[in-house]
Amino acid sequence: MKAARRAIPIVLLALSAGFLVLGVLNGEVAIVLSRAANICLECIGIG
C-alpha cells in the first residue's frame, strides 16, 4: 500500500511532463501565446 501511495505522484508527474513535451512539439505554445495576446488586447480595447 505504501509503495502505491508513493508511485501515484511520480506517475502523474511523468504523465504531465510527457503531455507538456507533446504540446510543445505540436506547436501549441505559439497558439496559446497568440490567443493570450488577442485576449489581452481586447481587454485593453485595442484589438
Side-chain angles (χ1 to χ4, degrees):
M1 185 69 173
K2 258 189 174 183
R5 289 188 79 175
R6 288 189 125 184
I8 290 173
I10 295 170
V11 169
L12 289 176
L13 184 63
L15 188 63
S16 60
F19 280 127
L20 186 70
V21 169
L22 186 65
V24 169
L25 292 176
N26 281 335
E28 295 291 329
V29 176
I31 294 169
V32 170
L33 286 176
S34 71
R35 287 183 183 172
N38 288 337
I39 289 172
C40 192
L41 290 175
E42 287 176 7
C43 225
I44 295 171
I46 297 175

